[in-house]
Amino acid sequence: MRVLGIESSCDETASCVLEDGKILSNVVSSQLVHKVFGGVVPELASRAHQKLVVSVVKQAIEEAKISKEGIDAIAVTNRPGLVGALLVGVNFAKSLAFGLEIPVIGIHHIEGHMHSVFLENTELKPPFLNLIVSGGHTQLVNFIDFGNYKTIGKTVDDACGEAFDKVAKMLGIPFPGGPNLDKIAQAGNPEACNFPRPMLGSGNFDFSFSGMKTAVKVFLEKQTQDEITKNLSDIAASFQEAVAEILVTKTVSAAQSLKLKTIVVTGGVAANSRIRSLMAETAVKQGFKVVFPRPVLCTDNAAMIAFCGWKRLLKGEKSDLTLTAFPSETI
Amino acid sequence: MEIFFSKGEKETFEIGLKISKFLVCGDVLLLSGEIGAGKTNLAKGICEGLGICETITSPTFTIANEYKPEKKNLQGLEKVVHFDFYRIEREDEFYNLGLDDYFCESSICLIEWYEKAKNFLPVFSKKVTIEFVGFTERKISFSGSNPKP
């Protein structure tokens, strides 16, 4: 079965073609904006999705070396996100499905992230513990089986990726803050500054990153600009170490308490090198198997949406053409 | 103008509960304050006061989070929308995102970093300003109409 995937829930317009769960093409708009907008990257705009969606889908079909008549079904992100942005993808998906007389299915963005791991790890089977960390989400989900999930912890305030971006901005680290902070931190001493580890002893699996952002701000206010510049890599490394330690400790203890043997980390922040290495060191030492998708599949993409759609379509599920977008919904 | 002082997260939350009593359906409440001042935490208190039972999380990445009140604390209130314009770079993005569609008679909108889209906001807005007093204390000022009788 060939499934066309469409994703427009946040900044990226994305499309792909999967054949029986294997990637034939996987296109994100940041690769195409030069062609469409002449070099200016417009962020955060439903109208940008409007301008891009046809080119992105067309590119995905071309790269897959098929014609649009070769598509058997369409999977589209329809929740959660800004309704204006989501509707661009949903309406385009419905129109194309109507024209081609094929089924369409609406997919939850986070359920998509949870499936990104299967794109390259075909032997992996549930159950496993999934840590989803991105700019907008931080949650621990027990992936019991396809379609059967239990959220066991989540952030009570800021997402982990937001803490990275905001701290990077305070430190004067240029966009994209998270990945650049990661690079700078590699030369630093992670024990140089003692930042707090909020919620580490909370007795549950929830996270809180808002207080860390404030702790870094208070720390920086007590330093001169020269001291900050001189110790930039130490500050970045110490902050990153604190975040990694919170994520790894909570995740490992959740896996222990649920008696799960495999830990999967997905979402954009799963690309962070220290989170990867600390998770691998700690969890592997304790006998867990740890799986990270490649960074390109960790960030927002359509392949994860199409994979999740394919799994649901195989079970006989589909949406009807009244499919619409929802701003917020838990898995 | 109402002025409150907070010594920590819990107090800021409780001040949020108090501020919720000053709000009516259709209100747009602007939240002003630096990073780490406690805007999202204040919003948690306000939302709980308005009958929202879900966990209020930061809208920085999503730009807008919508919540439906489970408790009928305010007659006619259908949703509370919590915005953060932190990631908005140019004012026209506000229009491109269709954000003005959210302002209506049956909703209350809370807006962090409203300064980024000043020209697109309704003329009649209520406002909360959070200022640092030292490292731990905050001065929280609310301006708008009087509390309901």
Side-chain angles (χ1 to χ4, degrees), chain A residues 10 32 82 90 105 110 130 149 152 155 165 181 189 198 200 227 232-233 243 248 252 270 273-274 276 328:
Chain A
C10 197
L32 282 184
L82 282 174
V90 169
I105 187 159
I110 299 299
N130 192 180
Y149 322 112
I152 59 159
T155 180
D165 284 343
L181 188 147
N189 172 8
L200 212 49
E227 285 172 319
L232 189 65
S233 60
V243 175
V248 170
V252 169
S273 69
R274 185 54 186 150
R276 281 180 175 249
S328 57

Side-chain angles (χ1 to χ4, degrees), chain A residues 10-11 43-47 82 135-136 155-158 162 166 169-170 213-214 217 221-222 327-328, chain B residues 34-36 44 55-58 60-64 66 84 86-88 93 95-97 102 132 135:
Chain A
C10 197
D11 299 347
E43 278 186 89
L44 303 174
S46 309
R47 283 211 298 206
L82 282 174
T155 180
V156 297
D157 42 49
D158 299 1
E162 179 183 336
K166 285 192 172 165
K169 195 161 186 178
M170 285 182 218
K213 177 184 74 186
T214 313
K217 181 188 156 72
E221 275 167 3
K222 291 175 182 164
S328 57
Chain B
E34 290 173 47
I35 278 194
K44 280 175 187 265
T55 307
I56 308 301
T57 53
S58 167
T60 297
F61 189 77
T62 51
I63 301 172
E66 285 185 44
D84 189 342
Y86 181 82
R87 299 203 307 135
I88 289 185
E93 288 174 337
Y95 166 66
N96 290 348
L97 284 163
Y102 288 90
F132 282 83
F135 284 122

Side-chain angles (χ1 to χ4, degrees), chain B residues 44-106:
Chain B
K44 280 175 187 265
I46 295 171
C47 286
E48 185 163 315
L50 294 172
I52 310 293
C53 301
E54 285 172 70
T55 307
I56 308 301
T57 53
S58 167
T60 297
F61 189 77
T62 51
I63 301 172
N65 286 342
E66 285 185 44
Y67 302 98
K68 285 200 170 64
E70 284 177 44
K71 295 184 196 149
K72 293 279 164 218
N73 295 7
L74 189 59
Q75 200 61 38
L77 182 66
E78 281 173 22
K79 63 184 175 189
V80 177
V81 190
H82 183 195
F83 292 95
D84 189 342
F85 294 164
Y86 181 82
R87 299 203 307 135
I88 289 185
E89 297 285 340
R90 301 186 312 265
E91 283 201 339
D92 60 324
E93 288 174 337
F94 178 83
Y95 166 66
N96 290 348
L97 284 163
L99 295 179
D100 45 351
D101 292 347
Y102 288 90
F103 302 141
C104 67
E105 282 305 309
S106 56

Side-chain angles (χ1 to χ4, degrees), chain A residues 16-35:
Chain A
C16 73
V17 178
L18 300 195
E19 186 171 56
D20 296 326
K22 283 187 199 69
I23 298 175
L24 297 185
S25 66
N26 193 19
V27 179
V28 289
S29 56
S30 39
Q31 306 164 333
L32 282 184
V33 280
H34 283 275
K35 212 157 108 188

